[in-house]
Amino acid sequence: MSTDKKQALYEHVMALRRVFLVSLAAVGILFVLFFYLFCDQLVDFVLYPVRSRGISVISTAVSEALMTQLKVCLIAAVVAGMPVIIQQIWSFVSPALYPHEKKLFAGLFFAALLLFLTGVVFCYLYVFPLAINLFWAAADTVATAMWSVKEYFNFVLSFVLPFGLMFELPVVIFMLAKRGKVNYAKLAGWRKYVVLIIAVAAAILTPPDVVSQCMLALPMYLLYEVATQLARFVKPSQPEEEEA
């Protein structure tokens, strides 16, 4: 490896190191602030769906409550620190992009972020309360329900995060269409197989109840239809553009 290549590689590694350290510092500072100033409010926000229904959660281990508080504050710090993280990632990636690539990358990046947040908010506000009602009613008919705060928090994460990830479907299809891997005709022809895949994914990614699975599968199908129509207007990249 030549000296110039070694120097370029070293500069890239140092730039990536700076991105990591600045992002980590931002999240760490926010985590400390949230833990000491807003921990109770954040935990109350997470527990609101059950407390508003008169459901109490319990702690079954010595460190369970504290660990839950730490997790809640850490996730809140990552979310609040996202502008810094995005800015750092952009500062690392943008110098290697052409002007038209910068516009496309920025658009896709923020579209993906917006869709992820939309999926999480949609799930937390509309789907998650339905699941809570279903599980509580089912438990109440069998035994006295006592939900652990740790298990409840893990359940919240396992429930809302798949919605955010699955809402990225239009961005994924756009990228595939841009590279010429898919087009409108192919997507329309795959519809019946996609319905099956979405149903299986919803069954795997959500808790085992029909309500939450349908509430994930239906938006996914609608997003697929939107992305299919979007593919009509996507112009695939030319070979010389991909090479560049």
Side-chain angles (χ1 to χ4, degrees):
M1 183 180 294
S2 65
T3 304
D4 291 341
K5 290 184 177 180
K6 289 182 179 180
Q7 181 65 25
L9 178 60
Y10 176 77
E11 291 176 355
H12 278 82
V13 171
M14 294 305 296
L16 185 61
R17 177 176 177 269
R18 181 180 181 278
V19 170
F20 176 77
L21 291 178
V22 173
S23 301
L24 184 63
V27 172
I29 293 172
L30 289 169
F31 170 75
V32 173
L33 291 176
F34 285 150
F35 184 74
Y36 285 102
L37 299 179
F38 305 105
C39 185
D40 292 340
Q41 293 88 334
L42 291 171
V43 172
D44 289 341
F45 174 77
V46 174
L47 294 177
Y48 177 78
V50 290
R51 286 180 173 173
S52 62
R53 290 163 174 76
I55 303 173
S56 299
V57 294
I58 63 173
S59 177
T60 59
V62 175
S63 61
E64 185 172 343
L66 177 60
M67 293 305 298
T68 300
Q69 291 176 324
L70 292 174
K71 290 178 181 178
V72 170
C73 292
L74 179 59
I75 292 177
V78 172
V79 173
M82 195 58 66
V84 176
I85 297 174
I86 291 174
Q87 188 276 329
Q88 288 298 308
I89 294 175
W90 179 249
S91 68
F92 178 76
V93 174
S94 60
L97 301 177
Y98 292 104
H100 70 281
E101 291 176 330
K102 290 182 179 180
K103 293 180 180 179
L104 179 62
F105 182 86
L108 287 176
F109 191 89
F110 286 104
L113 180 61
L114 179 61
L115 286 171
F116 178 82
L117 294 177
T118 300
V120 170
V121 172
F122 171 78
C123 174
Y124 188 79
L125 293 180
Y126 299 106
V127 185
F128 188 66
L130 296 177
I132 291 295
N133 292 337
L134 176 66
F135 287 128
W136 184 255
D140 195 42
T141 61
V142 178
T144 301
M146 300 175 63
W147 290 354
S148 161
V149 64
K150 173 186 175 182
E151 296 301 326
Y152 169 78
F153 179 72
N154 291 338
F155 174 75
V156 172
L157 288 181
S158 67
F159 199 96
V160 301
L161 290 182
F163 275 79
L165 294 175
M166 295 296 285
F167 267 59
E168 302 292 340
L169 184 61
V171 173
V172 174
I173 290 180
F174 176 86
M175 293 174 65
L176 292 175
K178 190 67 176 175
R179 294 188 62 84
K181 304 298 183 182
V182 298
N183 53 39
Y184 172 76
K186 287 183 179 180
L187 293 172
W190 294 344
R191 185 175 284 110
K192 58 183 178 181
Y193 304 107
V194 170
V195 171
L196 177 61
I197 293 173
I198 288 175
V200 173
I204 295 174
L205 295 174
T206 60
D209 70 277
V210 177
V211 175
S212 59
Q213 291 170 4
C214 291
M215 291 297 289
L216 175 59
L218 182 58
M220 286 302 96
Y221 177 72
L222 294 177
L223 286 171
Y224 179 79
E225 289 296 338
V226 171
T228 299
Q229 297 303 319
L230 179 64
R232 287 176 180 265
F233 309 100
V234 176
K235 180 181 178 182
S237 300
Q238 299 300 319
E240 57 270 17
E241 294 179 0
E242 295 183 3
E243 184 177 353

